[in-house]
Amino acid sequence: MRLSSYFLPTLKEDPAEAQIMSHRLMLRAGMVRQASAGIYSWLPMGLRVLRNVEQIVREEQNEAGCQEILMPTIQSADLWRESGRYDGYGQEMLRIVDRHDRDMLYGPTNEELITDIFRNSVRSYRDLPKLLYHIQWKFRDEVRPRFGVMRGREFLMKDSYSFDLDHAAARRSYNKMFVAYLRTYRRMGLKAIPMQADAGPIGGDLSHEFIIQADTGESEIYCDTDFLNFDTSNAEYGDDKHIKNIVDYYTSLYARTDEKHEQEVFEREVPEIRRYVGRGIEVGHIFYFGTKYSEKMNATVTGPDGSDIVVEMGSYGIGVSRLVGAIIEAYHDDAGIVWPDSVAPFAVGIINLRSGDTACDTACEDLYAKIQAASIDVLYDDRDERAGAKFADMDLIGVPWQLIVGPRGLKSGIVEVKRRATGEREELSLEAALSRVLS
Ligand code: 5CA
C-alpha cells in the first residue's frame, strides 16, 4: 500500500474525548472513528488489525475442534421468552419491533439461538460432543460506554458454545476452551490471567475471566503476584488428563475478580508480599452452566438406552474488538503504538526520505515490489512530506519493521533498518535489509 493514496486520517493532537492511551492512539493513528456513543466505524488501518486479531482467534478455535458458523445479529424475542431472559436482561438489551409488530432484539449474546439450532438438528448422544462458534457483532446498551472500543455498545465478540452428554464431558469441553484461550492470547503477545469470576446474566457456577493486568482496566483484581509473571508456553493440547493438568496448574494460585474475592482466603493463601490488588482488562470469559438453557428450551438427545437426556452446555466469549484496545494498552510508548508482529496492520514500512529523488524512488520501488512479491504486507510512505513527519507517522502507527531510504546512504548502497519495538537501527545493503525483514 502506498501511503500517498491510503485512507489514513491521522491526528496531530490528542483528542480531548479520549481518557486512556489506547483510545487516544486508535483515534490518532486513524484506526477508528466514533459513529455515536459506544459505536465505531473501523477505518482501513484499524480494520486490518481487527481482522488479524479475529484470524488468530479463529485459527485457535478451529485447532480446538470448534466449528465456525454465523448467526444473525437480529434475533426473535420469542426464544428469549422461552429461556426466561427476555425480561430479566433489562435495559442493556436493544429491543426492536418489526413492521408486523413482532418483538425482535439485537443480540447481546447467543445462548438461546444456538440452543434452538441444536435442538432442531441434533438427535442422538452419538452426535456429541459438539463445539460451535461464531464471530459476530453484539449490541449491549451499556450505561456508560467508554474508553473507545474497550467498552462499546456495539462490539465484535467470538462466542463458542459446547454441548455434551454429562457433566464430566462438559468439563472436558470447558478445559479445552481454557487451553485454547491461553494459546490465543499468547499468540497476540498477551498474558491473560484466568481468574475465578462471577457468571452474571449468562449463569452457571463455574466461570473464569481472562484478564490482562492494566492500570486503566475496568475490572478490580486480586491475585498472587506470581501469576502476573506467569509463562503460558507449556499450555498445549494433549489427552484429557494433560489438558486437565494445565487447567489445574493455571488455576492453582489465588486469582479472582472483585465479585469472587474473599479477603480472608486471599490472606490465608497468599503471603503478604505476593498479594496483588489492582486492575485489569477482561478479554475473555468462559462459563459452564449445565442445563440452564437446555432444560427450559428442551434441548435433548436420545441416550444409549433410548431415554431423553438434557444436554450440558457452556459458553465461551472473547472480546475481539476490545482486544485491539487491550493490545495497544500493553504495547505502546511515547511515540505511539508498538504492534506485536502477529497482529500488526503491516509487517514492514518503507520511508522514502526524499520522494522525487531518482535514486531514492528507484530503491524504494524495488524494495516495495520485492516485499509485495513475498506476500508480506508493506506500507510505503511515498508522500512528499518532511522526513520528521514521516518518522513520526510510522512510529505512531507502530509498524514493526521500518526501512529508511535516504540519498546519503544510497550513495554507498545502504539503507537503515529500524525495529520499532526496541528502536535498534542497523545499516545494511538493500539485499541484507530485505532478507532481514523477510525472514
Ligand atoms: N455468552 C457469553 C460467552 S460467549 C458472554 O456473552 N460473555 S461476556 O458477557 O463475558 O462477554 C464476552 C467478552 O466480550 C468479554 O469477556 C469482553 O471481552 C467482551 N465484551 C463484553 N462487553 C463488552 C463491551 N461492552 N465492549 C467490548 N467488549 C465487550
Side-chain angles (χ1 to χ4, degrees), residues 9-34 40 147-148 396:
T10 55
L11 307 174
K12 294 262 175 314
E13 306 295 327
D14 272 337
E17 74 267 30
Q19 297 161 30
I20 62 169
M21 201 41 105
S22 56
H23 188 194
R24 262 179 238 143
L25 288 171
M26 286 182 77
L27 292 170
R28 282 192 51 206
M31 294 177 63
V32 291
R33 286 294 180 263
Q34 183 175 296
Y40 288 85
F147 301 157
L396 172 66

Side-chain angles (χ1 to χ4, degrees), residues 354-374:
R354 194 170 298 163
S355 300
D357 173 275
T358 314
C360 286
D361 290 354
T362 311
C364 286
E365 290 294 342
D366 183 51
L367 288 169
Y368 183 55
K370 286 182 173 146
I371 298 170
Q372 276 190 319

Side-chain angles (χ1 to χ4, degrees), residues 355-401:
S355 300
D357 173 275
T358 314
C360 286
D361 290 354
T362 311
C364 286
E365 290 294 342
D366 183 51
L367 288 169
Y368 183 55
K370 286 182 173 146
I371 298 170
Q372 276 190 319
S375 298
I376 289 193
D377 290 326
V378 49
L379 182 66
Y380 169 26
D381 191 347
D382 58 339
R383 296 172 306 167
D384 186 17
E385 278 278 354
R386 284 180 307 109
K390 292 189 175 188
F391 288 136
D393 277 345
M394 201 59 89
D395 277 354
L396 172 66
I397 62 183
V399 176
W401 288 106

Side-chain angles (χ1 to χ4, degrees), residues 97-148:
V97 180
D98 74 8
R99 69 200 297 167
H100 303 293
D101 256 352
R102 278 187 289 251
D103 290 328
M104 311 293 286
L105 56 98
Y106 193 128
T109 175
N110 286 57
E111 280 78 8
E112 285 78 359
L113 193 49
I114 193 86
T115 306
D116 185 52
I117 292 171
F118 181 90
R119 72 178 170 186
N120 291 330
S121 329
V122 180
R123 298 267 169 264
S124 163
Y125 75 98
R126 285 193 209 91
D127 298 323
L128 299 183
K130 276 279 167 293
L131 267 167
L132 301 169
Y133 77 98
H134 76 159
I135 302 177
Q136 177 63 292
W137 295 90
K138 304 289 187 288
F139 193 94
R140 291 182 186 173
D141 205 351
E142 303 275 354
V143 201
R144 272 220 305 159
R146 57 179 187 159
F147 301 157

Side-chain angles (χ1 to χ4, degrees), residues 56 59-60 182-190 342-343:
I56 291 178
E59 285 170 15
E60 290 300 326
L182 292 174
R183 289 168 49 107
T184 302
Y185 301 122
R186 181 175 75 203
R187 278 183 64 184
M188 298 173 194
L190 297 174
S342 59
V343 299

Side-chain angles (χ1 to χ4, degrees), residues 22 26 31 42 49-50 52-57 149-151 155-158 181 184-186 188-192 210-212 281-284 317-331 339-340 343:
S22 56
M26 286 182 77
M31 294 177 63
W42 292 76
V49 180
L50 186 69
N52 290 344
V53 169
E54 187 182 325
Q55 189 54 23
I56 291 178
V57 171
V149 300
M150 289 281 203
R151 179 161 300 277
F155 59 95
L156 190 60
M157 191 201 285
K158 183 286 297 176
Y181 276 39
T184 302
Y185 301 122
R186 181 175 75 203
M188 298 173 194
L190 297 174
K191 262 182 201 154
F210 288 76
I211 294 198
I212 295 161
I281 303 166
E282 178 202 328
V283 289
I318 289 185
V320 176
S321 49
R322 175 178 287 182
L323 268 167
V324 177
I327 293 169
I328 298 174
E329 285 297 319
Y331 290 99
W339 291 116
V343 299

Side-chain angles (χ1 to χ4, degrees), residues 193-197 208 220-228 230 248-271 274-277:
I193 307 165
M195 302 207 171
Q196 279 183 42
H208 286 93
E220 223 177 288
I221 55 173
Y222 299 81
C223 75
D224 193 316
T225 50
D226 279 3
F227 244 171
L228 300 178
F230 80 155
D248 288 347
Y249 174 70
Y250 288 109
T251 51
S252 58
L253 295 176
Y254 191 99
R256 301 189 191 182
T257 61
D258 55 345
E259 295 117 341
K260 284 280 175 185
H261 174 64
E262 288 170 286
Q263 189 63 24
E264 191 196 322
V265 183
F266 191 42
E267 287 174 14
R268 191 172 64 234
E269 290 186 5
V270 188
R274 292 204 336 239
R275 283 179 212 148
Y276 175 81
V277 181

